[in-house]
Amino acid sequence: MNNRRGMMTSLLALGATGAAIYGITRGVRNGTFQQLPQTVSNILNSQQGQQMTNPLQGMTNNQSLQQTVANQNRLS
């Protein structure tokens, strides 16, 4: 039974990988990926993009502060 479950997981992963490769290949041929960096940049610079990224920046700043404190405590 475990063997079947592992085989199904492997097949699903292989299928997802194949679909991703196919989509990337199509995007490169169509020129969609040439526009992608500009699109992402526009989204991140928009007001809604700022609202989404601000909490993430706060989390990463807090995480690096925690790591700094942990490193200082380790050295003490």
Side-chain angles (χ1 to χ4, degrees):
M1 184 84 163
N2 264 347
N3 232 358
R4 288 183 185 175
R5 192 172 291 172
M7 177 77 102
M8 184 58 84
T9 303
S10 296
L11 288 174
L12 287 173
L14 184 63
T17 303
I21 291 170
Y22 175 75
I24 290 169
T25 304
R26 291 282 303 232
V28 168
R29 285 186 187 160
N30 292 340
T32 306
F33 282 116
Q34 291 174 352
Q35 301 165 2
L36 188 63
Q38 184 63 39
T39 304
V40 170
S41 177
N42 289 343
I43 289 171
L44 292 178
N45 289 331
S46 71
Q47 182 66 26
Q48 290 176 342
Q50 291 295 322
Q51 289 173 353
M52 289 189 321
T53 56
N54 284 341
L56 294 175
Q57 288 174 346
M59 287 171 37
T60 56
N61 290 340
N62 188 22
Q63 224 173 18
S64 53
L65 178 63
Q66 288 175 352
Q67 287 174 350
T68 303
V69 169
N71 287 339
Q72 287 175 351
N73 288 340
R74 220 178 308 156
L75 294 174
S76 299

